[in-house]
Amino acid sequence: MIWYLKFLWKELEQKRKKMPLVRRNNRNVSNGMIPLMLLQAVNEYRRLERKPPVTAAILAANTLIYLRPAFLHQILPKIEDVLFNAHLIVKDKDLKRLFLSAFYHLGETHLAYNMISLLWKGIQLETWLGSAEFTSMVATLLGLSQGITLLLAKSLLLLFDYETAYYHEYSVGFSGVLFAMKVVLNSHSDGYTNLHGFVVPAKHAAWAELILIQLFVPNVSFLGHLGGILAGIVYLRLKKAPSPLTTMVKALTSLVRSLLMRIWQQSPPRQRGTSAGAGGIWRCRACTYDNSGWLSVCEVCGTGRGDDGLSSVQLSNSEMIPLDEIRRRRIERFGRYR
C-alpha cells in the first residue's frame, strides 16, 4: 500500500508541474485534495496490523484512472466515452459505460470524497469478511448498483414517460457502490450515527445521507445513489436466502481464494512469510483453518498465532477445539455483521 501511495503522489506532482495557469474551476487545477487523501490513507494503513490489500487496490485504481499517467493514457478510454447514460447503454448496448463509469471522477474533490469514504468502509468490511469475500462483495455490489440504476431510469421512462432528468442524465463515480457498502456495514447496527450534524439510526444512515446530499449538494445523481442503496438491500436479502446470485457470489469467493492459494503455493519458499507480520499461509493449531499470513489470530476461531510462523499440519487431539466452541467463537466475532 505504501508503494502505491508513493507512486500516486509522484504522478500527482508530475501532473501539477505540467498544469498551465488556467481558471480555478478547471478540473486540471489541483486544489490539494488528492495529497490530503493520500496522507490520510498512509496514516490509516500505518496503524493497522493487517493491511487490507483489496481496499488499497481499488483506491489506487480510481486514483490512477483520474491521474491518467503516461503509461495508461493510451489504454484508458476518455471520460466522455464511459459516462453512465441509460439511453446510450440501452441503445448501443455499451457495457463499458455500465461498469467503467464507476471508476471515473469529475474532479479532485469528487475523487477524494469517495476514496476517503471507501477507505473507512473498505478497511472495516475487508477486515471482517476477508479479502476474498470482500472482493466478491464489491464486484456484486458494482453490478447490482449499476444495473438497478439503469432499471430505474428505464422504468421511469416506460411507466411515466419521464426521461429528461434521468434517462438522458450523465453520471460517473464510485458513490453508488459506496452507498451499497454503507447499507451492508450498518445492516445489523442498533446504534446511532452523526451524519453532518444530524443524529440518525445507523440502519437508516444511507437513506438520510441520500436526502441530505440531494438538498445541499448540486449536480449529484439521485438515481445513482438510490440504486446503490437498493443494491445493498438486495445483496443482504440474497445472502440470506439461496438464489442463483448467492451461488455465483460463493463461487466467485471460492475462485478468488483458490487463486490466492495457488499463487502462494507457486511462490518461492524464501518469499513466504514466517513471521507474524509477513505474508503467506499459516494453519491454526486449534481448528486447522488456513489463515492469511497477515492475520495474527485465526479468522475462524480467534486463536492467536504462534511465534514460529507456519503452524504444523499434524495436530494432536489435545490441541483441537470442540466444534461447538469454534462456532461460538465465530458467532461472537462475526455474528453482528453477518
Side-chain angles (χ1 to χ4, degrees), residues 7-78:
F7 174 78
L8 296 176
W9 189 287
K10 182 179 179 181
E11 288 294 330
L12 176 63
E13 288 300 316
Q14 291 178 352
K15 184 174 182 178
R16 294 179 70 178
K17 290 178 181 178
K18 297 177 182 179
M19 290 175 184
L21 294 176
V22 292
R23 296 190 308 272
R24 182 174 296 273
N25 62 351
N26 190 299
R27 72 178 297 270
N28 287 327
V29 176
S30 174
N31 58 16
M33 292 297 294
I34 292 182
L36 290 176
M37 175 195 74
L38 296 179
L39 180 61
Q40 180 166 348
V42 169
N43 290 333
E44 288 291 331
Y45 268 72
R46 278 180 176 174
R47 68 179 180 81
L48 293 174
E49 180 180 355
R50 176 180 180 267
K51 323 296 183 186
V54 179
T55 299
I58 298 174
L59 189 151
N62 279 271
T63 308
L64 280 173
I65 289 174
Y66 176 78
L67 294 176
R68 295 182 69 88
F71 71 93
L72 290 177
H73 191 72
Q74 299 298 326
I75 302 175
L76 294 174
K78 296 180 180 179

Side-chain angles (χ1 to χ4, degrees), residues 38 46 172 178 275 299:
L38 296 179
R46 278 180 176 174
V172 288
L178 294 174
S275 64
E299 187 177 359

Side-chain angles (χ1 to χ4, degrees), residues 195-246:
L195 185 65
H196 306 294
F198 297 92
V199 178
V200 298
K203 286 184 178 180
H204 308 307
W207 292 102
E209 187 172 0
L210 173 67
I211 296 173
L212 289 176
I213 288 178
Q214 292 301 314
L215 290 176
F216 300 108
V217 182
N219 301 322
V220 295
S221 174
F222 173 74
L223 285 191
H225 294 164
L226 177 60
I229 294 176
L230 297 178
I233 295 174
V234 171
Y235 176 81
L236 291 172
R237 298 272 184 176
L238 293 177
K239 288 284 287 184
K240 292 180 179 180
S243 70
L245 182 57
T246 303

Side-chain angles (χ1 to χ4, degrees), residues 3 23 33 46 70 78 86 94 100 102 119 126 129-130 183 187 205 222 227 238 288-289 324 328:
W3 180 88
R23 296 190 308 272
M33 292 297 294
R46 278 180 176 174
K78 296 180 180 179
D94 196 346
L100 293 184
L119 187 68
E126 188 172 355
L129 300 176
V183 172
S187 59
F222 173 74
L238 293 177
T288 73
Y289 183 79
D324 291 341
R328 186 193 67 77

Side-chain angles (χ1 to χ4, degrees), residues 63-316:
T63 308
L64 280 173
I65 289 174
Y66 176 78
L67 294 176
R68 295 182 69 88
F71 71 93
L72 290 177
H73 191 72
Q74 299 298 326
I75 302 175
L76 294 174
K78 296 180 180 179
I79 189 171
E80 54 265 25
D81 296 328
V82 298
L83 288 168
F84 185 96
N85 181 279
H87 170 68
L88 295 178
I89 292 173
V90 174
K91 175 185 175 183
D92 302 330
K93 297 181 175 58
D94 196 346
L95 294 181
K96 70 176 183 298
R97 290 185 182 272
L98 183 64
F99 295 108
L100 293 184
S101 58
F103 299 96
Y104 283 70
H105 294 81
L106 294 177
E108 281 193 33
T109 302
H110 186 204
L111 173 70
Y113 184 86
N114 278 352
M115 293 303 99
I116 291 174
S117 178
L118 167 68
L119 187 68
W120 184 79
K121 297 179 177 68
I123 286 176
Q124 295 187 74
L125 287 170
E126 188 172 355
T127 300
W128 293 328
L129 300 176
S131 296
E133 188 171 349
F134 177 72
T135 301
S136 66
M137 184 197 74
V138 172
T140 304
L141 292 179
L142 172 63
L144 284 174
S145 62
Q146 298 292 83
I148 291 175
T149 302
L150 177 64
L151 183 62
L152 289 173
K154 187 67 175 179
S155 299
L156 287 174
L157 174 67
L158 294 177
L159 298 178
F160 305 102
D161 196 24
Y162 196 68
E163 60 175 323
T164 304
Y166 298 121
Y167 195 64
H168 291 278
E169 162 184 275
Y170 290 90
S171 61
V172 288
F174 207 70
S175 54
V177 180
L178 294 174
F179 267 82
M181 291 171 65
K182 192 182 191 76
V183 172
V184 174
L185 189 61
N186 294 329
S187 59
H188 292 86
S189 176
D190 295 325
Y192 291 80
T193 184
N194 189 306
L195 185 65
H196 306 294
F198 297 92
V199 178
V200 298
K203 286 184 178 180
H204 308 307
W207 292 102
E209 187 172 0
L210 173 67
I211 296 173
L212 289 176
I213 288 178
Q214 292 301 314
L215 290 176
F216 300 108
V217 182
N219 301 322
V220 295
S221 174
F222 173 74
L223 285 191
H225 294 164
L226 177 60
I229 294 176
L230 297 178
I233 295 174
V234 171
Y235 176 81
L236 291 172
R237 298 272 184 176
L238 293 177
K239 288 284 287 184
K240 292 180 179 180
S243 70
L245 182 57
T246 303
T247 304
M248 290 175 59
V249 171
K250 291 181 178 179
L252 181 58
T253 301
S254 300
L255 176 61
V256 173
R257 184 178 290 111
S258 64
L259 289 175
L260 292 176
M261 288 289 292
R262 183 172 300 178
I263 292 173
W264 173 78
Q265 291 172 355
Q266 292 177 353
S267 63
R270 61 182 177 86
Q271 294 181 354
R272 299 180 185 176
T274 57
S275 64
I281 302 295
W282 60 278
R283 179 162 293 181
C284 177
R285 285 193 175 90
C287 67
T288 73
Y289 183 79
D290 290 330
N291 294 276
S292 167
W294 297 108
L295 297 177
S296 60
V297 296
C298 177
E299 187 177 359
V300 172
C301 67
T303 301
R305 177 178 180 174
D307 296 331
D308 57 348
L310 300 177
S311 298
S312 172
V313 176
Q314 297 181 350
L315 303 173
S316 64

